Amino acid sequence: MSERLLRSRFARTRLFPKQGLSANVQGTDAERFTAHVNAVAPVAKLPGYAPFCQLWVYENWTSTRVMAVPITEHNRHLLRSAYEARTAKELPVLTRWFEGVDPPRARYLIAILYSREQMAKEGDAIDADWGVVGCLPTAEPEEIPMAPITMLRNALGVEEGGSGVALDRDAYARSVAFWDVHANWREYRQAGPG
Protein backbone atom coordinates (compact mmCIF):
# COMPACT_ATOMS: atom_id res chain seq x y z
CA MET A 1 0.00 0.00 0.00
CA SER A 2 1.58 3.28 -1.03
CA GLU A 3 -0.30 5.55 1.36
CA ARG A 4 0.50 5.35 5.05
CA LEU A 5 -2.11 5.82 7.75
CA LEU A 6 -1.71 6.97 11.33
CA ARG A 7 -4.36 7.17 14.01
CA SER A 8 -4.95 10.65 15.36
CA ARG A 9 -4.96 11.68 19.02
CA PHE A 10 -8.70 12.29 18.65
CA ALA A 11 -9.31 8.78 17.29
CA ARG A 12 -7.24 7.14 20.03
CA THR A 13 -9.44 8.56 22.79
CA ARG A 14 -12.70 8.03 20.87
CA LEU A 15 -12.04 4.55 19.47
CA PHE A 16 -9.90 3.10 22.27
CA PRO A 17 -10.82 4.78 25.59
CA LYS A 18 -8.91 3.66 28.69
CA GLN A 19 -11.90 3.39 31.00
CA GLY A 20 -15.60 4.17 31.30
CA LEU A 21 -17.36 3.61 27.97
CA SER A 22 -16.60 0.49 26.01
CA ALA A 23 -14.36 0.91 23.01
CA ASN A 24 -15.89 1.80 19.66
CA VAL A 25 -13.57 -0.77 18.09
CA GLN A 26 -13.47 -4.02 20.07
CA GLY A 27 -11.16 -7.01 20.11
CA THR A 28 -8.03 -5.01 19.25
CA ASP A 29 -6.08 -1.99 20.46
CA ALA A 30 -4.86 1.21 18.82
CA GLU A 31 -1.47 -0.22 17.81
CA ARG A 32 -2.87 -3.42 16.25
CA PHE A 33 -5.66 -1.48 14.52
CA THR A 34 -3.15 0.91 12.94
CA ALA A 35 -0.87 -1.97 11.91
CA HIS A 36 -3.79 -3.77 10.25
CA VAL A 37 -5.06 -0.81 8.21
CA ASN A 38 -1.51 -0.15 7.04
CA ALA A 39 -0.82 -3.79 6.09
CA VAL A 40 -4.14 -4.84 4.50
CA ALA A 41 -5.59 -3.24 1.41
CA PRO A 42 -9.15 -1.93 1.88
CA VAL A 43 -11.94 -3.64 -0.08
CA ALA A 44 -13.11 -0.19 -1.21
CA LYS A 45 -12.21 3.49 -0.97
CA LEU A 46 -15.17 5.85 -0.80
CA PRO A 47 -15.21 9.63 -1.06
CA GLY A 48 -15.80 11.46 2.20
CA TYR A 49 -17.90 14.52 2.90
CA ALA A 50 -15.10 16.90 1.83
CA PRO A 51 -12.02 16.69 -0.44
CA PHE A 52 -9.73 16.11 2.58
CA CYS A 53 -11.78 13.09 3.77
CA GLN A 54 -11.77 9.50 2.54
CA LEU A 55 -13.50 6.36 3.80
CA TRP A 56 -11.57 3.10 3.54
CA VAL A 57 -13.68 -0.04 3.86
CA TYR A 58 -12.18 -3.14 5.52
CA GLU A 59 -13.70 -6.52 6.25
CA ASN A 60 -14.15 -6.63 10.02
CA TRP A 61 -11.25 -8.58 11.57
CA THR A 62 -12.38 -7.74 15.13
CA SER A 63 -15.32 -8.49 17.41
CA THR A 64 -16.70 -4.97 16.87
CA ARG A 65 -20.49 -4.73 16.57
CA VAL A 66 -22.50 -2.43 14.29
CA MET A 67 -22.78 1.13 15.58
CA ALA A 68 -26.32 2.04 14.49
CA VAL A 69 -29.35 0.15 15.81
CA PRO A 70 -32.87 0.65 14.40
CA ILE A 71 -35.31 2.17 16.91
CA THR A 72 -38.37 -0.03 17.40
CA GLU A 73 -41.31 -0.14 19.80
CA HIS A 74 -39.51 -3.04 21.53
CA ASN A 75 -36.30 -1.12 22.28
CA ARG A 76 -37.40 2.53 22.45
CA HIS A 77 -37.49 2.34 26.27
CA LEU A 78 -33.72 1.64 26.24
CA LEU A 79 -32.86 5.04 24.70
CA ARG A 80 -30.84 7.42 26.89
CA SER A 81 -29.69 11.00 26.34
CA ALA A 82 -27.35 13.57 27.86
CA TYR A 83 -25.42 16.70 26.98
CA GLU A 84 -21.85 15.65 26.21
CA ALA A 85 -18.66 17.02 24.66
CA ARG A 86 -16.20 14.82 22.80
CA THR A 87 -13.25 16.77 24.22
CA ALA A 88 -12.73 19.26 27.06
CA LYS A 89 -12.54 22.13 24.52
CA GLU A 90 -15.89 21.43 22.83
CA LEU A 91 -19.33 22.64 23.83
CA PRO A 92 -21.62 19.87 25.08
CA VAL A 93 -24.38 18.85 22.67
CA LEU A 94 -27.44 16.65 23.11
CA THR A 95 -26.52 13.01 22.45
CA ARG A 96 -28.78 9.93 22.22
CA TRP A 97 -27.87 6.25 22.57
CA PHE A 98 -29.15 2.83 23.55
CA GLU A 99 -28.15 0.96 26.68
CA GLY A 100 -29.00 -2.71 27.05
CA VAL A 101 -29.19 -3.74 23.38
CA ASP A 102 -27.14 -6.53 21.81
CA PRO A 103 -26.25 -5.46 18.26
CA PRO A 104 -24.81 -7.94 15.74
CA ARG A 105 -21.14 -8.09 14.83
CA ALA A 106 -20.26 -5.65 12.07
CA ARG A 107 -19.26 -7.14 8.72
CA TYR A 108 -17.19 -4.06 7.82
CA LEU A 109 -15.08 -1.40 9.52
CA ILE A 110 -14.97 1.87 7.61
CA ALA A 111 -11.94 3.95 8.60
CA ILE A 112 -12.63 7.69 8.37
CA LEU A 113 -9.46 9.41 7.15
CA TYR A 114 -8.40 13.05 7.03
CA SER A 115 -5.48 14.27 4.94
CA ARG A 116 -2.22 15.29 6.60
CA GLU A 117 -3.02 18.92 5.73
CA GLN A 118 -6.45 18.84 7.39
CA MET A 119 -4.99 17.11 10.45
CA ALA A 120 -2.47 19.96 10.82
CA LYS A 121 -5.25 22.54 10.38
CA GLU A 122 -7.12 20.91 13.27
CA GLY A 123 -4.02 20.93 15.50
CA ASP A 124 -3.09 17.23 15.21
CA ALA A 125 -0.01 17.17 12.95
CA ILE A 126 0.88 13.67 11.75
CA ASP A 127 3.80 12.11 9.90
CA ALA A 128 1.67 10.08 7.48
CA ASP A 129 -0.42 10.61 4.35
CA TRP A 130 -3.70 10.17 6.20
CA GLY A 131 -4.90 10.25 9.79
CA VAL A 132 -7.60 7.92 11.10
CA VAL A 133 -10.15 10.16 12.85
CA GLY A 134 -12.93 7.62 13.29
CA CYS A 135 -14.38 4.26 12.38
CA LEU A 136 -17.86 3.20 11.28
CA PRO A 137 -18.72 -0.43 12.12
CA THR A 138 -21.40 -1.40 9.58
CA ALA A 139 -23.35 -4.35 8.22
CA GLU A 140 -22.83 -3.20 4.61
CA PRO A 141 -19.77 -1.69 2.91
CA GLU A 142 -21.52 1.69 2.85
CA GLU A 143 -21.19 4.89 4.83
CA ILE A 144 -23.61 5.56 7.67
CA PRO A 145 -24.76 9.20 7.45
CA MET A 146 -22.84 11.58 9.65
CA ALA A 147 -24.95 12.61 12.66
CA PRO A 148 -26.76 15.94 12.22
CA ILE A 149 -24.97 17.47 15.22
CA THR A 150 -21.59 16.52 13.73
CA MET A 151 -22.53 18.30 10.50
CA LEU A 152 -23.50 21.39 12.49
CA ARG A 153 -20.29 21.25 14.54
CA ASN A 154 -18.24 20.96 11.34
CA ALA A 155 -19.96 24.06 9.96
CA LEU A 156 -19.03 26.00 13.12
CA GLY A 157 -15.35 25.59 12.30
CA VAL A 158 -12.16 24.22 13.79
CA GLU A 159 -12.43 26.52 16.83
CA GLU A 160 -15.57 24.66 17.94
CA GLY A 161 -14.25 21.15 17.22
CA GLY A 162 -15.44 20.97 13.61
CA SER A 163 -13.66 20.82 10.27
CA GLY A 164 -14.86 24.10 8.77
CA VAL A 165 -16.99 22.47 6.04
CA ALA A 166 -20.22 24.36 5.28
CA LEU A 167 -23.54 22.65 5.94
CA ASP A 168 -25.02 20.78 2.96
CA ARG A 169 -28.82 20.92 3.38
CA ASP A 170 -29.50 17.79 1.31
CA ALA A 171 -26.90 15.73 3.20
CA TYR A 172 -28.33 17.09 6.46
CA ALA A 173 -31.86 16.00 5.46
CA ARG A 174 -30.57 12.48 4.63
CA SER A 175 -28.81 12.36 7.98
CA VAL A 176 -31.94 13.38 9.89
CA ALA A 177 -33.99 10.74 8.03
CA PHE A 178 -31.50 8.02 9.07
CA TRP A 179 -30.82 9.10 12.68
CA ASP A 180 -34.51 9.76 13.37
CA VAL A 181 -35.03 5.98 13.26
CA HIS A 182 -31.58 4.77 14.43
CA ALA A 183 -29.38 5.34 17.47
CA ASN A 184 -25.90 4.43 18.59
CA TRP A 185 -25.48 2.06 21.52
CA ARG A 186 -23.22 1.98 24.54
CA GLU A 187 -22.17 -0.59 27.04
CA TYR A 188 -20.99 0.80 30.36
CA ARG A 189 -18.45 -1.11 32.34
CA GLN A 190 -16.91 -0.53 35.74
CA ALA A 191 -13.77 1.53 35.59
CA GLY A 192 -10.87 -0.54 36.82
CA PRO A 193 -8.08 0.55 39.14
CA GLY A 194 -5.44 3.01 37.93
Side-chain angles (χ1 to χ4, degrees):
M1 179 182 305
S2 61
E3 298 165 293
R4 196 164 62 89
L5 309 181
L6 184 74
R7 69 188 172 278
S8 64
R9 287 190 309 260
F10 181 79
R12 177 183 278 280
T13 58
R14 298 286 295 159
L15 300 179
F16 306 99
K18 291 186 185 222
Q19 55 187 342
L21 296 175
S22 63
N24 181 288
V25 177
Q26 300 160 342
T28 191
D29 59 26
E31 288 71 26
R32 287 185 292 160
F33 180 88
T34 304
H36 185 90
V37 298
N38 275 302
V40 176
V43 297
K45 291 183 180 182
L46 307 174
Y49 72 101
F52 59 77
C53 179
Q54 289 189 12
L55 306 173
W56 289 13
V57 181
Y58 295 87
E59 290 185 7
N60 185 5
W61 70 94
T62 72
S63 59
T64 305
R65 295 179 275 172
V66 297
M67 69 177 283
V69 176
I71 299 170
T72 68
E73 290 306 314
H74 301 289
N75 64 18
R76 186 177 305 276
H77 68 284
L78 299 172
L79 283 171
R80 306 290 182 260
S81 63
Y83 282 91
E84 298 178 333
R86 299 177 302 178
T87 69
K89 294 180 181 179
E90 291 183 356
L91 296 171
V93 297
L94 187 60
T95 307
R96 178 176 72 168
W97 69 93
F98 280 113
E99 283 182 19
V101 298
D102 188 23
R105 181 179 173 273
R107 292 181 57 213
Y108 299 93
L109 296 181
I110 303 176
I112 305 168
L113 311 176
Y114 278 11
S115 68
R116 176 187 311 127
E117 295 76 20
Q118 182 66 21
M119 296 296 295
K121 180 179 175 183
E122 295 189 21
D124 194 0
I126 59 170
D127 182 24
D129 300 305
W130 296 94
V132 177
V133 297
C135 184
L136 303 173
T138 64
E140 301 298 328
E142 303 167 355
E143 179 184 11
I144 293 172
M146 185 184 302
I149 192 60
T150 304
M151 292 179 161
L152 290 172
R153 187 190 312 276
N154 282 342
L156 290 175
V158 174
E159 302 79 26
E160 296 299 334
S163 62
V165 172
L167 186 65
D168 176 321
R169 290 181 69 87
D170 292 334
Y172 187 85
R174 288 190 301 274
S175 173
V176 168
F178 179 86
W179 288 107
D180 190 41
V181 295
H182 291 82
N184 291 324
W185 63 276
R186 294 182 185 175
E187 179 181 277
Y188 275 90
R189 62 176 187 236
Q190 273 308 80

